[in-house]
Amino acid sequence: MGKTAKEMTVVKGVDLQRYMGRWYEIASFPSRFQPRDGANTRATYTLRPDGTVHVLNETWSGGRRGSIEGTAYRADPASDEAKLKVKFYVPPFLPIFPVVGDYWVLYLDDDYQYALIGQPSRTYLWILCRQTHMDEEVYNILVEKAKEEGYDVQKLHKTPQADPPPEEESAPVDKKGFWWIKSLLGK
């Protein structure tokens, strides 16, 4: 799309409280650092008393659970646009220096059941759902919306999701988690 790409339309007036909870990744633009066999990827959001959001990202690869935690907050507290910043610490288990990424809600249904998430460079895109599976019709609507916003939807890769989803305790932990950080940095 180059420099002529239009400004993305971002959802306004998101109720963060309703947005909280678990979201399953149905599809995304894969990061080259993400495990190729990554599955059951999900995010869990918890609203803190100070208005920031605790973020837990998890994925399973080779039978191991990888996770990283961070904090999301409104990019501009005075704006009602759903533009958030997400801050993770590197390395995940030793908070040394923060890495900050953009999290823009481009589409959200009225019942807060599915969402389209992007960021200003259009390098990354996520289709999220409250369930592990999404109706093809809904999926296609979100893909079309992404296309309208200037994304190259050919790069979308569907994320395998088990039904029922795995439990945190049932898998050995992968302590590396660095690919999450590299994804955010876009390197």
Side-chain angles (χ1 to χ4, degrees), residues 142-160:
L142 294 177
V143 169
E144 201 50 47
K145 171 73 176 153
K147 203 186 292 184
E148 286 168 19
E149 294 297 346
Y151 284 87
D152 176 7
V153 296
Q154 299 300 313
K155 294 196 292 193
L156 269 173
H157 172 80
K158 286 200 174 179
T159 307

Side-chain angles (χ1 to χ4, degrees), residues 2 12 41 113 161:
K12 289 183 163 67
T41 305
Q113 292 302 299
Q161 292 284 355

Side-chain angles (χ1 to χ4, degrees), residues 100-147:
V100 179
D102 292 286
Y103 183 109
W104 289 12
V105 183
L106 304 178
Y107 184 85
L108 179 64
D109 72 301
D110 292 341
D111 295 326
Y112 287 58
Q113 292 302 299
Y114 41 89
L116 180 68
I117 309 300
Q119 34 86 288
S121 69
R122 294 178 172 86
T123 310
Y124 296 106
L125 184 71
W126 294 270
I127 292 178
L128 305 179
C129 185
R130 294 293 193 179
Q131 311 298 322
T132 52
H133 294 95
M134 176 182 276
D135 289 343
E136 202 61 28
E137 189 182 348
V138 173
Y139 178 79
N140 291 334
I141 289 169
L142 294 177
V143 169
E144 201 50 47
K145 171 73 176 153
K147 203 186 292 184

Side-chain angles (χ1 to χ4, degrees), residues 16-167:
L16 275 185
Q17 186 65 62
R18 285 184 69 199
Y19 194 78
M20 296 301 98
R22 179 166 288 169
W23 290 88
Y24 295 94
E25 181 185 282
I26 301 300
S28 68
F29 282 4
S31 156
R32 61 194 172 100
F33 298 99
Q34 198 165 348
R36 286 190 189 281
D37 64 344
N40 304 309
T41 305
R42 62 196 187 192
T44 307
Y45 306 125
T46 311
L47 195 58
R48 294 185 173 124
D50 66 0
T52 63
V53 175
H54 174 261
V55 177
L56 170 65
N57 285 345
E58 301 170 279
T59 196
W60 271 254
S61 170
R64 300 176 91 76
R65 172 182 166 266
S67 68
I68 189 168
E69 296 181 57
T71 299
Y73 51 92
R74 288 186 187 278
D76 175 3
S79 170
D80 68 343
E81 284 189 316
K83 291 181 178 179
L84 303 177
K85 293 280 187 189
V86 184
K87 186 193 315 185
F88 293 98
Y89 287 91
V90 190
F93 41 90
L94 262 183
I96 295 174
F97 61 93
V99 174
V100 179
D102 292 286
Y103 183 109
W104 289 12
V105 183
L106 304 178
Y107 184 85
L108 179 64
D109 72 301
D110 292 341
D111 295 326
Y112 287 58
Q113 292 302 299
Y114 41 89
L116 180 68
I117 309 300
Q119 34 86 288
S121 69
R122 294 178 172 86
T123 310
Y124 296 106
L125 184 71
W126 294 270
I127 292 178
L128 305 179
C129 185
R130 294 293 193 179
Q131 311 298 322
T132 52
H133 294 95
M134 176 182 276
D135 289 343
E136 202 61 28
E137 189 182 348
V138 173
Y139 178 79
N140 291 334
I141 289 169
L142 294 177
V143 169
E144 201 50 47
K145 171 73 176 153
K147 203 186 292 184
E148 286 168 19
E149 294 297 346
Y151 284 87
D152 176 7
V153 296
Q154 299 300 313
K155 294 196 292 193
L156 269 173
H157 172 80
K158 286 200 174 179
T159 307
Q161 292 284 355
D163 194 13
E167 294 302 319

